[in-house]
Amino acid sequence: MSLLDSVKSVFGLAEEEKELYLRPLKSSDLSAVLTIEKMVYNFPWSDRIFKDCLTLDYSNLALIKRGELIGYSILSIAVGEAHILNVCVHPEHQRQGLAKFFILDLLKVAKKKNAETIFLEVRPSNLAAVSLYEGLGFQQIGHRKDYYPAEGGREDAVVYSLDLNPNVT
Ligand SMILES: CC(C)(COP(=O)(O)OP(=O)(O)OC[C@H]1O[C@@H](n2cnc3c(N)ncnc32)[C@H](O)[C@@H]1OP(=O)(O)O)[C@@H](O)C(=O)NCCC(=O)NCCS
């Protein structure tokens, strides 16, 4: 074993050497983020929206696999409430448990920043997201009428919440 390997085995790997890790999202990530955003949504967020998210006091994370950005999340936290505004995983990396891994981390971030409840909106037609959040214990608490743009009109949002106190340690 080389000296470097021994050091790594004692102290652990540096973030950038890990196979898969989360780190804060940076403005230099925006081009990779927008590429994924346009692949996964019919109505993607604009460059301007992501830039605004980076200037606000949000918890924005990048999911990196072998050096490549393959997912991202935008989380706002204020006065005891957290709000998941966006979570995406690159289509080539979906169905591998990565969104679950991501969201479990977001719950911990929210709890650490003293949020008691976490909320999100989702399109009822987004069956993958509905199944993801319901599988993690989120409860439907209401609807927001005509919340999203949709082909030929608007689509309602389903609002979900999760109480962080009993569910996250
Ligand atoms: C929704 C999304 C984030 C899921 O990412 P993912 O990494 O594929 O999800 P995971 O592999 O962690 O799956 C976790 C659970 O989500 C559900 N799920 C994920 N993809 C699904 C699909 N295509 N169909 C049905 N259920 C799905 C399942 O319940 C799954 O659990 P299981 O694998 O035990 O069945 C991903 O499809 C995506 O980026 N979609 C576009 C953006 C989006 O809609 N974001 C959510 C709104 S903020």
Side-chain angles (χ1 to χ4, degrees):
M1 190 187 267
S2 71
L3 179 60
L4 180 60
D5 287 338
S6 330
V7 171
K8 281 179 189 167
S9 69
V10 173
F11 295 106
L13 294 173
E15 285 291 271
E16 60 278 9
E17 293 176 273
K18 286 182 188 163
E19 164 86 3
L20 181 74
Y21 65 97
L22 292 166
R23 63 148 170 80
L25 197 65
K26 307 181 275 197
S27 50
S28 56
D29 294 323
L30 284 191
S31 148
V33 164
L34 285 166
T35 301
I36 298 175
E37 180 79 10
K38 287 177 191 155
M39 286 169 100
V40 299
Y41 288 123
N42 289 336
F43 297 91
W45 280 10
S46 64
D47 179 56
R48 181 76 264 152
I49 295 177
F50 282 106
K51 282 186 175 144
D52 287 347
C53 290
L54 288 174
T55 62
L56 293 164
D57 186 26
Y58 286 174
S59 295
N60 306 310
L61 292 174
L63 177 64
I64 310 292
K65 186 170 186 184
R66 291 187 206 128
E68 184 197 351
L69 187 148
I70 59 155
Y72 50 89
S73 66
I74 309 287
L75 177 76
S76 74
I77 305 169
V79 286
E81 292 184 356
H83 207 123
I84 299 176
L85 300 174
N86 203 342
V87 175
C88 282
V89 174
H90 189 293
E92 283 174 15
H93 299 273
Q94 291 179 3
R95 299 312 308 254
Q96 297 170 30
L98 293 176
K100 224 182 224 175
F101 165 78
F102 221 140
I103 288 165
L104 291 174
D105 201 84
L106 295 187
L107 302 183
K108 286 186 192 154
V109 170
K111 180 131 190 195
K112 218 183 249 176
K113 294 197 172 181
N114 301 319
E116 291 173 2
T117 313
I118 190 160
F119 297 90
L120 62 96
E121 282 88 20
V122 73
R123 290 174 190 262
S125 61
N126 188 346
L127 300 180
V130 165
S131 171
L132 167 70
Y133 292 119
E134 291 188 354
L136 288 168
F138 281 77
Q139 306 282 330
Q140 272 196 35
I141 56 162
H143 287 80
R144 291 193 204 281
K145 190 145 181 55
D146 295 337
Y147 188 75
Y148 293 111
E151 297 301 339
R154 308 284 303 177
E155 182 174 2
D156 292 353
V158 183
V159 185
Y160 281 91
S161 78
L162 181 76
D163 185 351
L164 294 171
N165 286 322
N167 287 305
V168 181
T169 50

